[in-house]
Amino acid sequence: AQSVTQLGSHVSVSEGALVLLRCNYSSSVPPYLFWYVQYPNQGLQLLLKYTTGATLVKGINGFEAEFKKSETSFHLTKPSAHMSDAAEYFCAVSEISGSARQLTFGSGTQLTVLP
Amino acid sequence: GAVVSQHPSWVICKSGTSVKIECRSLDFQATTMFWYRQFPKQSLMLMATSNEGSKATYEQGVEKDKFLINHASLTLSTLTVTSAHPEDSSFYICSAGTIYEQYFGPGTRLTVT
């Protein structure tokens, strides 16, 4: 069975500071890993994903994540936080279910950006 | 491309009535769709996997007779909450995808009074 652990349900950073959101996973097969962002009362928007190949993945809005197999981690970073980054962030791992990928989500991290 | 829509975006209904939520893949065919439920300040919990032309697969603890799922075509899945109660109030999100990625709908806010 696959699972995801997000360390820190709330993270606060100052505007312009480094953003680091932590994600560790457990999977019995090589994982596909995802980071999603959710703004209030909205659906999920894909930030980035890792499937195969390069372990450093760049996404939208200046975010990136690095897949570290030895540490079973997929932490999300952004060099300089912007006020518009304030949102809920979910890490997810997936496995094949029929003809699609079934996602298992972490508990989420609420990012607050302080002026 | 890869747009998933949900309708309605929000709905208020009285206790004991039924509510239907539609999930559509607008520009691709989705053999498999997923339905999630999200309580305030919590993560998404998978309710069921909807397969076109066959019965849905429900996660443990989800009442299949209460949450009816129909996937009649490759672009439409529906979730019907039957005999709704206030505890069914939640944010329901669907997704559709391929073996590479899932695409999420904008969600439906259900409030049962």
Side-chain angles (χ1 to χ4, degrees):
Chain A
Q2 54 187 15
S3 65
V4 176
T5 301
Q6 289 184 240
L7 296 176
S9 59
H10 291 84
V11 171
S12 293
V13 300
S14 298
E15 189 174 20
L18 172 71
V19 176
L20 171 60
L21 304 183
R22 300 179 185 275
C23 173
N24 288 88
Y25 70 91
S26 172
S27 176
S28 58
V29 298
Y32 279 24
L33 295 160
F34 303 81
W35 274 100
Y36 290 88
V37 61
Q38 184 181 33
Y39 296 97
N41 294 310
Q42 295 187 27
L44 273 67
Q45 180 182 8
L46 179 67
L47 280 176
L48 49 78
K49 64 181 177 182
Y50 168 79
T51 55
T52 59
T55 56
L56 182 61
V57 180
K58 295 186 183 297
I60 63 172
N61 302 337
F63 285 95
E64 62 182 37
E66 186 171 11
F67 169 61
K68 292 187 177 180
K69 183 177 179 180
S70 61
E71 299 178 8
T72 60
S73 68
F74 190 57
H75 301 332
L76 181 71
T77 60
K78 181 174 180 178
S80 177
H82 191 273
M83 296 297 288
S84 61
D85 295 327
E88 186 84 20
Y89 291 81
F90 293 98
C91 181
V93 62
S94 78
E95 64 179 1
I96 295 288
S97 175
S99 62
R101 285 201 164 261
Q102 178 175 316
L103 291 171
T104 299
F105 287 90
S107 55
T109 298
Q110 179 68 47
L111 175 65
T112 300
V113 181
L114 305 172
Chain B
V3 178
V4 176
S5 70
Q6 278 185 246
H7 178 79
S9 56
W10 59 271
V11 58
I12 301 173
C13 70
K14 292 185 181 299
S15 185
T17 62
S18 295
V19 175
K20 179 184 287 187
I21 302 170
E22 294 185 347
C23 176
R24 293 181 184 274
S25 56
L26 299 184
D27 50 4
F28 68 101
Q29 294 183 331
T31 306
T32 303
M33 292 183 173
F34 300 94
W35 287 95
Y36 298 86
R37 184 174 182 177
Q38 185 181 31
F39 290 105
K41 305 296 184 182
Q42 295 188 28
S43 187
L44 281 73
M45 299 301 297
L46 181 66
M47 298 175 65
T49 302
S50 170
N51 300 297
E52 187 269 338
S54 64
K55 291 182 178 181
T57 303
Y58 290 82
E59 296 299 302
Q60 189 174 7
V62 177
E63 300 176 61
K64 61 181 181 181
D65 294 330
K66 181 170 186 59
F67 298 100
L68 301 179
I69 291 173
N70 183 274
H71 195 154
S73 76
L74 288 172
T75 59
L76 174 64
S77 176
T78 59
L79 167 67
T80 301
V81 183
T82 62
S83 186
H85 290 283
E87 57 265 31
D88 299 324
S89 298
S90 190
F91 195 52
Y92 293 88
I93 302 176
C94 74
S95 71
T98 68
I99 61 171
Y100 302 106
E101 188 172 337
Q102 279 191 39
Y103 305 97
F104 286 83
T108 297
R109 172 73 61 192
L110 170 63
T111 301
V112 184
T113 61

